[in-house]
Every structure is written in structure tokens, then in C-alpha cells.
């Protein structure tokens, strides 16, 4: 089976956007591909997290992955910092990439603009660390969103350049893996774009029913339909997207008809959305709480995942050293 690698930065709890946009698809992928998932705690250092938060954040993400259905027996899950070989490959790749190429990466320019007092070297070389995460396992595919496409091109450039410099065909060029119909873009509750932590418009997988209901009831709306069968504005279409995600087709059709005949009451719509979202989140939240309470289990799963990942990375690094000339 083709090898697939994907990581997530431990910068907070998973939300519905993460779940429907990626993690739910990861669960489906683990039976079709040779998958490996990791928690990118080194990547999070670009934002200078507090030391006490690093380990706890990694455990939080691990518990949430497991609660969503990722099976570590099928798809090993490891913490990035447990695989030291990544740093050696990161060093080698940095020697082959140029300053101008890194400075032109859009995500670097955006981060530098947003945090001018913290434009650190790790932020600049983020794409080569990401390339090391991928290439150490010689992965064929990597699940990505639009914001990571340029970093993926940098990973392919790292692979091509290594192969060219040393006259080998060692590293495959990892391809972007798109979920297509299996992944959904979950809108934010503030009526904007997509759900995201920095926008503060999320429903988290740890939220209780009361919190979810309160958030949904505050979702942005307008004055309501003014003419029969009129197109829905974006803020209202976002609510109907939640209906598609969480509710039955009959429920969606019922509220769609109410919109079209101008009898829709947003309060009723929001109550239905909240009820159906609570039904999705509740069993996941219960599993998260159970896994979170068993830190020994989480640490053991991470340890076993790291053993698999290190074996993969060590095999790659052994050959890389020989190709470069180190013994």
C-alpha cells in the first residue's frame, strides 16, 4: 500500500472543522493506505509555547485522534520530538535549499507580517522541517489543505534537489492528497469563511451540550427571507451547511422549504442545528475524556508509534548518510 504521512500542530483542541475537514477522512484512509500520523510539537515552537503546555498539548491531540477513531494498530501515531532522526534530515535539507526560496514562501511572509517581533529562523525554515517529516518516511502522499500547497511544493523541491545533487533517484516526490467528497469545509459561526482557532468561531470536540447550544444560538444571521425562492446570503448558507453536516436530509429539506416560502424562523433552525451537533459531538467528547484520564495509555501509544516511526526514519537516514558521503 502507498505510504501516507500527515501531522497536526498541538496548538489547541480539535474543532468540527478539523474533524470533518480531515480527521474523519484519516479514519477512512487507515484501511486503504499505509498511514502514519504525527503530532508536530517542534513546529509549534515557532510561537514560543510555555514548557508546561508542550507535553499536555501533545496528549490532548492524541486523545482526540483516538476518540475520533484513528486506530494506532492500523496507523501509528507518534510525537514529532520522539523521532530525533527528523532533525538530522532537516539539517541536510537546509544545506540544499536557498534563502531566497524560503523567503518567498507565502506562509512565511504572512506570519512575518502578523508577528514582526518574532520572525525566527524556525519560521523561515518551517518548509524544510515539514519536508523532513515527510521524506524521512519516503511518503507517496500527504493530506493537505490549500494553505499547505506551497510547502508541499517545497518538499518536492527538496526531494528533487537531493536526487539531482547526488545523482540518485532516492526520494520520491510526495504528492498532495485531497479528500474530495469525503472532506467538508466547515464554516465559522461568525458568518465568515471557515472554522478556525484564530478566528474564535469554533465548536470544539470537547465542548459540552450547553456550550455548543450557546455558540450556535449566537451564530450570525440577517433579517430573514424577503422573497420566495430567493438565494441565501453567505451567513445563512453557512447555517444550512451545518444542516447538511449534522442533520438528516428530511430535516434539511424541511428548513429549505421554509426558507423558500419565507416562513423560516432562525431560532428554530439554530435549535435544530445545536441539537444535531450535540448528538455528533457527545460520544466523541466522552471518549476524549476517557482517553485523557489514562495518561499511561496515551504515553504507551505514543511510544509504540515512535518506535515504528524511528525505524522508518533510521532506514532512510542510513542510506542518506551513505549517499552524501558520511560513514
Amino acid at each position: 500500500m502507498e505510504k501516507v504521512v500527515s501531522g497536526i500542530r498541538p496548538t489547541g483542541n480539535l474543532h468540527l472543522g478539523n474533524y470533518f475537514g480531515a480527521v474523519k477522512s484519516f479514519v477512512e484512509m487507515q484501511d486503504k493506505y499505509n498511514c502514519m500520523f504525527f503530532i508536530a510539537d517542534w513546529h509549534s515552537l515557532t510561537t514560543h509555547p510555555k514548557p508546561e503546555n508542550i507535553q499536555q498539548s501533545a496528549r490532548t491531540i492524541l486523545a482526540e485522534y483516538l476518540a475520533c477513531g484513528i486506530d494506532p494498530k492500523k496507523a501509528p501515531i507518534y510525537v514529532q520530538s520522539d523521532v530525533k532522526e527528523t532533525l538530522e534530515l532537516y539539517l541536510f535539507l537546509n544545506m540544499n535549499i536557498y534563502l531566497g526560496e524560503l523567503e518567498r514562501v507565502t506562509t512565511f511572509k504572512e506570519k512575518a507580517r502578523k508577528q514582526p517581533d518574532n520572525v525566527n529562523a524556525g519560521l523561515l525554515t518551517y518548509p524544510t522541517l515539514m519536508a523532513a517529516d515527510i521524506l524521512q518516511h519516503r511518503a507517496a502522499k500527504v493530506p493537505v489543505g490549500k494553505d499547505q500547497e506551497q510547502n508541499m511544493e517545497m518538499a518536492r523541491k527538496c526531494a528533487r534537489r537531493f536526487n539531482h545533487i547526488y545523482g540518485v533517484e532516492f526520494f520520491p516526490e510526495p504528492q498532495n492528497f485531497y479528500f474530495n467528497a469525503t472532506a467538508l469545509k466547515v464554516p465559522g459561526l461568525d458568518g465568515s469563511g471557515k472554522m478556525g482557532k484564530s478566528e474564535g468561531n469554533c465548536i470544539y470536540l470537547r465542548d459540552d451540550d450547553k456550550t455548543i447550544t450557546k455558540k450556535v444560538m449566537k451564530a450570525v444571521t440577517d433579517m430573514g427571507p424577503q422573497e420566495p425562492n430567493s438565494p441565501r446570503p453567505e451567513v445563512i448558507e453557512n447555517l444550512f451547511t451545518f444542516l447538511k453536516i449534522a442533520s438528516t436530509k428530511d430535516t434539511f429539506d424541511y428548513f429549505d422549504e421554509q426558507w423558500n416560502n419565507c416562513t423560516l424562523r432562525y431560532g428554530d433552525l439554530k435549535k435544530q442545528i445545536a441539537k444535531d451537533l450535540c448528538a455528533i459531538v457527545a460520544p466523541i467528547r466522552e471518549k476524549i475524556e476517557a482517553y485523557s484520564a489514562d495518561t499511561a495509555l496515551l504515553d504507551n501509544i505514543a511510544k509504540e508509534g515512535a518506535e515504528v516511526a524511528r525505524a522508518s526514519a533510521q532506514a532512510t537516514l542510513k542510506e542518506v548518510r551513505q549517499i552524501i558521503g558520511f560513514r
Side-chain angles (χ1 to χ4, degrees):
M1 293 191 291
E2 289 183 302
K3 183 171 284 187
V4 175
V5 173
S6 185
I8 185 169
R9 288 176 61 182
T11 55
N13 296 328
L14 296 179
H15 54 71
L16 284 177
N18 301 134
Y19 178 67
F20 285 107
V23 181
K24 195 168 182 286
S25 297
F26 291 165
V27 175
E28 298 171 3
M29 290 168 57
Q30 65 187 353
D31 291 318
K32 301 176 182 177
Y33 299 92
N34 179 10
C35 292
M36 195 174 291
F37 302 115
F38 68 96
I39 299 164
D41 54 347
W42 277 330
H43 281 291
S44 71
L45 294 177
T46 60
T47 59
H48 297 164
K50 294 181 179 180
E52 61 268 23
N53 291 340
I54 292 178
Q55 186 178 53
Q56 184 55 44
S57 295
R59 282 175 174 160
T60 295
I61 296 298
L62 177 54
E64 292 178 338
Y65 263 4
L66 296 172
C68 289
I70 292 179
D71 183 349
K73 298 299 183 184
K74 297 179 180 178
I77 311 173
Y78 67 95
V79 178
Q80 184 184 34
S81 59
D82 286 339
V83 182
K84 312 305 181 192
E85 289 77 8
T86 310
L87 294 181
E88 185 177 352
L89 184 56
Y90 175 44
L91 170 68
F92 293 148
L93 297 179
N94 273 329
M95 298 303 182
N96 296 338
I97 208 75
Y98 299 113
L99 178 62
E101 293 172 321
L102 293 170
E103 289 178 329
R104 287 193 293 273
V105 174
T106 302
T107 51
F108 169 72
K109 291 189 288 186
E110 290 177 351
K111 292 287 187 181
R113 187 176 65 254
K114 290 180 179 179
Q115 53 186 63
D117 296 328
N118 184 26
V119 186
N120 55 68
L123 195 63
L124 179 68
T125 59
Y126 190 105
T128 47
L129 180 54
M130 178 174 165
D133 291 323
I134 299 164
L135 298 181
Q136 67 183 345
H137 301 304
R138 302 175 74 180
K141 294 180 179 180
V142 182
V144 292
K146 294 290 287 186
D147 59 336
Q148 292 294 327
E149 287 182 341
Q150 193 175 20
N151 284 341
M152 279 300 299
E153 181 52 44
M154 290 292 285
R156 287 189 285 271
K157 182 175 289 187
C158 286
R160 285 195 300 271
R161 189 162 293 163
F162 181 93
N163 292 343
H164 175 73
I165 288 174
Y166 297 106
V168 294
E169 290 296 327
F170 181 69
F171 283 122
E173 293 187 25
Q175 300 303 304
N176 299 7
F177 185 95
Y178 297 105
F179 298 123
N180 297 323
T182 64
L184 296 170
K185 178 182 176 182
V186 180
L189 291 169
D190 57 355
S192 65
K194 67 176 184 177
M195 188 172 285
K197 295 183 182 75
S198 58
E199 289 77 14
N201 59 10
C202 300
I203 291 175
Y204 293 98
L205 299 182
R206 283 177 175 260
D207 283 345
D208 58 29
D209 290 357
K210 183 177 179 181
T211 300
I212 292 171
T213 301
K214 185 176 180 180
K215 287 181 176 181
V216 173
M217 296 308 292
K218 287 184 176 180
V220 176
T221 55
D222 61 6
M223 295 178 62
Q226 304 299 305
E227 297 180 5
N229 301 309
S230 59
R232 290 189 284 265
E234 182 180 7
V235 292
I236 306 306
E237 189 60 38
N238 285 348
L239 291 178
F240 276 83
T241 298
F242 280 109
L243 274 181
K244 289 180 182 178
I245 290 171
S247 306
T248 65
K249 184 179 183 301
D250 287 344
T251 300
F252 179 90
D253 292 343
Y254 171 78
F255 285 104
D256 183 47
E257 182 180 357
Q258 287 200 332
W259 169 270
N260 288 326
N261 63 27
C262 299
T263 61
L264 179 63
R265 293 161 54 96
Y266 286 140
D268 294 339
L269 173 61
K270 290 179 179 181
K271 288 177 183 177
Q272 183 68 51
I273 292 172
K275 176 184 175 183
D276 293 339
L277 287 177
C278 287
I280 291 174
V281 173
I284 298 174
R285 181 179 64 247
E286 291 171 5
K287 291 178 182 177
I288 291 172
E289 292 171 353
Y291 280 119
S292 296
D294 193 344
T295 56
L297 174 64
L298 295 177
D299 292 347
N300 188 58
I301 289 173
K303 179 183 177 182
E304 291 180 352
E307 290 172 355
V308 175
R310 289 201 71 189
S312 173
Q314 285 170 350
T316 298
L317 261 295
K318 181 180 180 180
E319 293 192 60
V320 166
R321 293 187 198 110
Q322 292 175 344
I323 291 169
I324 294 174
F326 291 106
R327 294 291 183 268

